[in-house]
């Protein structure tokens, strides 16, 4: 059986032969047309079967990705929960460090910058005014950079409205 490329090439040959004969269909051209017409439906069916197989494979991959993502979320949530229980136990008993046979666990304190974007952006009404002047198909998205806020605070000593530091505690396992 000829490939789709070969069938397409054969169609070009038929067209060329028809130009050479002035549009007259010779027995050779008719035989080539009949042979091509007979092979084309089977080729189309084969291509369709391949397309269906690849589409099904793609759908199976999508389902497997979703299944694995759910499994990952479950594992992440489980690890986070267990770390929380371990931290709570260490806090309850007043331990800063614990040593097991295979690992060391210590409490770690950190400060994180929390930003209430609505409060922070409320101080800049010109953003809403500018958005009102634009057509509906253009939207502005205001982004808040914690890095720039920290640099601003370091330079000026002032933390913008809607921003605050929170103390966090977590565990570190080595």
């Amino acid at each position: 059986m000829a490939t789709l490329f070969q069938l397409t090439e054969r169609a070009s040959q038929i067209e060329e032969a028809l130009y050479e004969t002035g549009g007259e269909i010779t027995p050779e051209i008719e035989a080539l047309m009949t042979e091509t017409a007979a092979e084309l439906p089977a080729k189309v069916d084969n291509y369709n079967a391949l397309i269906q197989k690849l589409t099904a494979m793609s759908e199976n991959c999508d389902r497997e990705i979703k299944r694995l993502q759910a499994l990952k979320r479950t594992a992440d949530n489980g690890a986070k929960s267990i770390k929380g229980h371990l931290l709570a136990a260490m806090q309850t008993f007043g331990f800063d460090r614990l040593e097991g046979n295979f690992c060391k666990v210590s409490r770690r304190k950190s400060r994180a910058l929390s930003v209430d974007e609505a409060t922070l952006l409320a101080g800049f009404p010109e953003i809403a005014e500018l958005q009102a002047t634009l057509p509906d198909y253009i939207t502005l998205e205001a982004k808040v950079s914690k890095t720039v806020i920290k640099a601003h605070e370091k330079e000026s000593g002032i933390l913008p409205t809607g921003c605050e530091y929170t103390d966090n505690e977590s565990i570190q396992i080595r």
Side-chain angles (χ1 to χ4, degrees):
M1 178 178 281
T3 66
L4 189 59
F5 177 77
Q6 291 167 334
L7 292 174
T8 305
E9 186 67 30
R10 199 179 298 160
S12 295
Q13 291 171 358
I14 293 169
E15 185 179 352
E16 213 173 280
L18 284 171
Y19 282 127
E20 289 175 5
T21 62
E24 183 182 333
I25 298 177
T26 63
E28 294 84 19
I29 293 174
E30 187 173 355
L32 200 53
M33 288 172 64
T34 303
E35 184 181 340
T36 302
E39 289 185 32
L40 197 55
K43 187 54 67 178
V44 169
D45 288 341
N46 290 341
Y47 270 85
N48 181 52
L50 182 58
I51 289 167
Q52 295 300 321
K53 179 181 178 183
L54 293 173
T55 301
M57 185 185 300
S58 175
E59 290 168 358
N60 286 338
C61 288
D62 285 340
R63 282 192 292 277
E64 185 66 8
I65 286 168
K66 288 177 184 173
R67 186 187 71 81
L68 290 173
Q69 286 173 334
L71 191 60
K72 180 185 183 312
R73 274 191 303 276
T74 300
D76 289 344
N77 290 341
K80 183 178 178 180
S81 177
I82 292 169
K83 284 181 178 182
H85 289 301
L86 186 54
L87 177 62
M90 290 176 74
Q91 289 168 336
T92 300
F93 293 106
F95 289 115
D96 288 330
R97 292 178 56 95
L98 287 173
E99 287 192 33
N101 293 327
F102 304 106
C103 66
K104 296 177 185 178
V105 179
S106 58
R107 288 170 43 186
R108 182 176 60 189
K109 295 182 181 188
S110 62
R111 288 188 79 188
L113 179 63
S114 298
V115 178
D116 179 4
E117 289 191 21
T119 303
L120 181 64
L121 294 175
F124 300 95
E126 52 271 2
I127 295 173
E129 292 169 8
L130 180 58
Q131 178 64 58
T133 65
L134 297 173
D136 291 340
Y137 53 86
I138 299 176
T139 58
L140 289 178
E141 183 179 337
K143 289 188 176 183
V144 177
S145 171
K146 290 182 180 182
T147 306
V148 175
I149 290 172
K150 289 176 186 178
H152 172 73
E153 184 213 5
K154 195 173 191 177
E155 285 179 17
S156 66
I158 300 170
L159 198 58
T161 305
C163 301
E164 66 180 7
Y165 283 101
T166 56
D167 293 326
N168 297 322
E169 190 170 24
S170 61
I171 62 169
Q172 183 176 17
I173 301 174
R174 293 186 209 169

